[in-house]
Amino acid sequence: AFQGPGETNAVGRTMVAAIRGGHEAIARLCYAWGAQGPEGVKSIAAYLEPALTTAAWGGHRALVYVCHDEWGARNINSAMESAAEPGHEAIVRQCYAWGARRVEPAMAAAARGGHTVLIRLCREWGARDMEWAMSAAAGSGHEAVVRQCHDEWGAYDVDQAMARAAENGHAAI
């Protein structure tokens, strides 16, 4: 249960929940309370990385900037991957601009979400594992992406993709 200033565990959890909903003012209040807790900024720091990836997943661009620029969250590779699956291109691009370079997991996440624009973007940035992308797309039922990975981008492990599709009940692929 939330106890207010000084109880950083609850404050940290509440901060991440506020970010999940896109509530910047509440997130800032929780951050301020956490910074005043018994261990200060160190105690709230454990929540900064989950806050960044949660903001990225939810497409809350302003909160991504707050977490990174103001509060010092640095796990931009995970944030890029988190933003890719739901298709938040602007956040993916910003994470890359900040230095995120793990483009393979981001490409697979984009494929899971069926976002060919982001798959192409990750390929431009050097991602090459089209097998992973094809398998991820198949597991999520994105037939058009599976076909594109195979026909256009040269993915060849159809057996693995079909197994992933079958595991998740996508018989049409």
Side-chain angles (χ1 to χ4, degrees):
F2 182 72
Q3 297 176 12
E7 213 287 45
T8 53
N9 193 17
V11 171
R13 288 193 317 268
T14 303
M15 181 180 77
V16 173
I19 287 171
R20 185 176 301 112
H23 306 294
E24 183 177 346
I26 295 170
R28 286 181 179 280
L29 181 61
C30 290
Y31 180 82
W33 283 349
Q36 296 167 9
E39 295 181 35
V41 175
K42 289 192 296 187
S43 59
I44 199 74
Y47 294 94
L48 295 181
E49 303 310 330
L52 177 63
T53 57
T54 298
W57 173 269
H60 305 298
R61 193 171 179 193
L63 284 167
V64 168
Y65 278 92
V66 168
C67 291
H68 181 271
D69 292 346
E70 294 181 33
W71 297 343
R74 292 290 175 248
N75 195 354
I76 52 177
N77 285 303
S78 291
M80 182 168 69
E81 182 180 351
S82 292
E85 187 168 351
H88 302 301
E89 182 179 350
I91 295 172
V92 170
R93 287 180 178 276
Q94 185 57 54
C95 290
Y96 189 81
W98 281 331
R101 292 299 181 265
R102 290 185 44 228
V103 293
E104 300 287 350
M107 183 173 70
R112 262 191 315 279
H115 304 291
T116 55
V117 169
L118 288 176
I119 296 169
R120 288 181 194 281
L121 189 60
C122 290
R123 283 179 48 83
E124 286 176 23
W125 292 337
R128 295 289 172 254
D129 192 347
M130 295 315 299
E131 307 304 325
W132 189 7
M134 183 169 70
S135 180
S140 296
H142 296 291
E143 182 179 355
V145 177
V146 170
R147 290 182 184 279
Q148 195 166 21
C149 288
H150 180 269
D151 299 344
E152 204 175 308
W153 296 323
Y156 59 88
D157 194 351
V158 178
D159 291 338
Q160 179 183 348
M162 296 308 103
R164 286 287 303 280
E167 285 172 5
N168 294 301
H170 303 294
I173 295 181

